[in-house]
Amino acid sequence: MSVCLYYQAKLERSQVWFIVGILRSYEHLVFERTVDKQSSLFEFFVPIQLERYFLELMALFEKKGMVTDLEKLPNRLVDRAL
């Protein structure tokens, strides 16, 4: 069974719609959802073979100040899936 990589990041609240729209325009690149609406913290599930492309996009968003605190973490769903 292949498991996605797991990332969390804070998105600039006024840019969430734009960032999510760009990410969703790339088929199968990432599944994103909100972890904490108040702090605009999102989680991202990324297929291993697409990590490079995801990180390139996130680096661009970080450079523009739209994404902060991008962090790769253990996939929180792995224990539940097994």
Side-chain angles (χ1 to χ4, degrees), residues 40-57:
S40 203
L41 180 65
F42 278 71
E43 62 183 359
F44 305 92
F45 296 90
V46 182
I48 294 168
Q49 59 272 41
L50 298 177
E51 181 181 29
R52 176 179 144 224
Y53 303 108
F54 170 75
L55 291 175
E56 286 175 4
L57 275 173

Side-chain angles (χ1 to χ4, degrees), residues 16-47:
V16 167
W17 65 272
F18 179 76
I19 296 166
V20 168
I22 293 294
L23 292 173
R24 289 183 182 179
S25 73
Y26 292 94
E27 192 170 352
H28 306 297
L29 176 64
V30 64
F31 172 77
E32 92 295 319
R33 62 183 225 174
T34 308
V35 174
D36 181 17
K37 195 174 181 180
Q38 296 301 322
S39 66
S40 203
L41 180 65
F42 278 71
E43 62 183 359
F44 305 92
F45 296 90
V46 182

Side-chain angles (χ1 to χ4, degrees), residues 53-72:
Y53 303 108
F54 170 75
L55 291 175
E56 286 175 4
L57 275 173
M58 296 306 275
L60 178 63
F61 294 146
E62 284 180 311
K63 191 175 187 181
K64 300 205 175 273
M66 300 162 71
V67 170
T68 58
D69 302 326
L70 179 64
E71 184 176 17
K72 186 176 186 177

